Amino acid sequence: MANHHLSESLPERTFQYQHTLPSLPVPTLQGSLSKYLDAVRPFASDEEYKATVDIVRRFQDGVGKELHQKLLQRARTKRNWLEEWWLDAAYLEVRIPSQLNVNFGGPAPYLEHCWPPAEGVYLQRASISTWHALQYWNMIRTESLAPQKAGTTPLDMDQFRMLFCTCKVPGVKKDTIHNYFKTESEGPCPSHLVVMCRGRMFTFDALYNGEILTPPELLRQLRYVRERCEAEPDGDGMGALTSEERTCWAKAREHLINIDPHNQVILETIQSSLFVISLDETKPYSSPQNYTKMTAEALIGDPAIRWGDKSYNSIVYSDGSFGSTCDHAPYDAMVLVSLCWYIDQQLQATGGQWKGSEALRPTPLPEELIFTVDEKVLSDIKCAKEHFLKSVSKITLKHTHTHTELHLHRLSRWCHVMMMMVMMMSMSLLHFARPGSCYETAMTRKFYHGRTETMRPCTQESVWWCKAMMDPTQDTHTRREAMRLAFKKHNQLMVEAQEGRGFDRHFLGLYLIAKEEGRPTPELFMDPLYAKSGGGGNFVLSSSLVGYTTVLGAVSPMVHHGYGFFYRIRDESIMISMTAWKSCHETDAASLFNQFSSSMHEMLQLATTSQL
């Protein structure tokens, strides 16, 4: 009995539920095809819809049935039938430059309280924020970070192993993820950091005699790097190569290793490092009301001082503000949000100050990582920088907030409604102002190694709601009822997606089995309505709720004529980050944001007077 009580009082360990999480389910074929027909209806004329219904019927009775059986067979031997496929198809086989097109980046929220932009403090602040990040690494390493849950249901924590000591490595046809992290019980884990500054790279161990360096000790290391870089010429900017098209970068990397085997040792040092600290001399002045400049700098800043393939680049701007850019392949944004939220909470609790010992132990100084280069490498770096500058000039970004005008005591009641409203409004605006498909991220982490599923918010119910809102002959009661039905459908689809009963990942599995077996692409995936409704990664609006913390980031649009849309909900405002390609004359992030804000106030008024 005593042992029973003891086990109840022990704190939960980070990865303790991994072996008991349920396997990712395979939805029924009939269920997925039925959901698909519902999802394409808003995008189709009666004639187009009838043709798609026929295609779906033929698929269900023919090749679809065979492919589904093979998928069920695969699922019997794997706890997550999707995991490898998703990693390959969504990330590792993608050849376009990932730093701009795949990575997510964003600002840190510390300027909202104890660290407003200021001169001459960035290294001191960097030493403190780095120290807190190292504490978080240590919590994962000692498995003392509490496992996350949805209510009482444990969520998969495997992605947290990928936050530190992880790097994507380019391949000519397919990239790979190298993860060097180990928990204490598994064995030794790399503990060095890499600092990038003015095109140069330095490394030092974040531990001394097994203990994490204190902020004063970290500050000494960062000052050493800065002083060296200020006194000596700029480096080659090797990091720029990571922003290149993947096959080009893979070939450049192979050449780099062939020149000198020591270059391979340096690459391994960068890849295995805890994370990268980028000392960025820009001053992207931002405020709690408008983060646009900081977010843009995180997403499209100097590629010579970022290692785009690292799972975490902590960017320190010289005005004392912070940002990050992260490779999306090994984990989803909520992992980084958890780290940033932890640091934010710790900084608020301490007023952003270090109150411990100022003593400096005799730690070795940072060592510079110097590649052997030749004319070809220097030419590759120059081309990579030019390509990156050309690409980033084509993207536009807006990252600011819109007040909800809801009083604090009403927030908890309306938080859920607000979340749906944000998405419903943005989707409906896009659908009517510029018809297009919409994607909302649903989390599937209640399953073993689960990541995400697609939730498609543009439903028939949301279309009817929009029509009611735009029709001056409709009364308030009709509009409220249409809104209630639209919200109900939205919620239902989100819950089903989180339960592993969406259809987009299921379709991906069926498509990939056909591809692996050398079969012709099934007719279902060749139907114009499949791509028009967003299938195959063709969503015009790609959106994600980042949560209810102070943390937000940005992603590039999925398609040329699309938008990237991240949002977070706070006490009395919704913070939105929106991206679009300047090279597409049909899209404009600032204009869509303004449309969105004005329409949302109308929706809020309707919602707060409704009995939902």
Side-chain angles (χ1 to χ4, degrees), residues 47-166:
E47 201 174 309
E48 287 171 327
Y49 185 67
K50 185 178 178 301
T52 296
V53 168
D54 290 340
I55 289 170
V56 165
R57 193 176 293 121
R58 286 194 292 274
F59 184 79
Q60 186 170 357
D61 296 338
V63 67
K65 192 185 288 184
E66 292 173 49
L67 296 173
H68 183 68
Q69 285 308 314
K70 300 211 165 161
L71 183 55
L72 289 172
Q73 210 173 319
R74 176 185 171 95
R76 280 194 281 273
T77 62
K78 293 177 183 286
R79 286 182 70 188
N80 189 315
W81 57 266
L82 175 67
E83 184 177 13
E84 291 161 30
W85 276 345
W86 178 248
L87 204 52
D88 288 351
Y91 301 110
L92 303 182
E93 290 171 355
V94 175
R95 299 291 85 196
I96 56 174
S98 54
Q99 193 161 330
L100 180 61
N101 297 286
V102 180
N103 284 27
F104 52 83
Y110 320 140
L111 59 78
E112 294 190 15
H113 43 85
C114 53
W115 283 356
E119 295 294 321
V121 293
Y122 75 114
L123 292 185
Q124 186 188 4
R125 288 179 178 182
S127 69
I128 294 170
S129 73
T130 300
W131 185 80
H132 286 300
L134 292 170
Q135 301 304 311
Y136 199 77
W137 162 68
N138 193 52
M139 285 161 66
I140 300 173
R141 185 155 152 68
T142 57
E143 296 182 70
S144 57
L145 179 69
Q148 294 181 345
K149 296 183 179 182
T152 56
T153 306
L155 299 177
D156 185 275
M157 294 294 287
D158 186 66
Q159 292 180 52
F160 283 79
R161 301 178 65 93
M162 304 288 171
L163 181 55
F164 301 103
C165 308
T166 303

Side-chain angles (χ1 to χ4, degrees), residues 94 97 111 119 153 204-205 220 243 251 302 305 313 324 365 404 408 411 443 446 475 509 555:
V94 175
L111 59 78
E119 295 294 321
T153 306
F204 64 90
D205 201 321
R220 180 177 58 180
S243 70
K251 289 176 178 174
D302 184 0
I305 50 169
N313 288 261
S324 61
L365 289 170
T404 62
L408 197 57
L411 173 69
M443 179 188 72
K446 59 175 66 172
D475 61 17
V555 287

Side-chain angles (χ1 to χ4, degrees), residues 299-317:
L299 208 59
I300 61 178
D302 184 0
I305 50 169
R306 322 262 195 276
W307 198 262
D309 292 343
K310 276 299 281 182
S311 56
Y312 178 38
N313 288 261
S314 173
I315 307 166
V316 188
Y317 302 115

Side-chain angles (χ1 to χ4, degrees), residues 475-493:
D475 61 17
T476 303
H477 173 75
T478 307
R479 290 176 175 178
R480 281 182 195 155
E481 183 57 17
M483 183 172 69
R484 188 185 67 79
L485 292 172
F487 283 176
K488 186 180 174 186
K489 181 68 171 185
H490 185 103
N491 249 3
Q492 177 197 330
L493 289 177

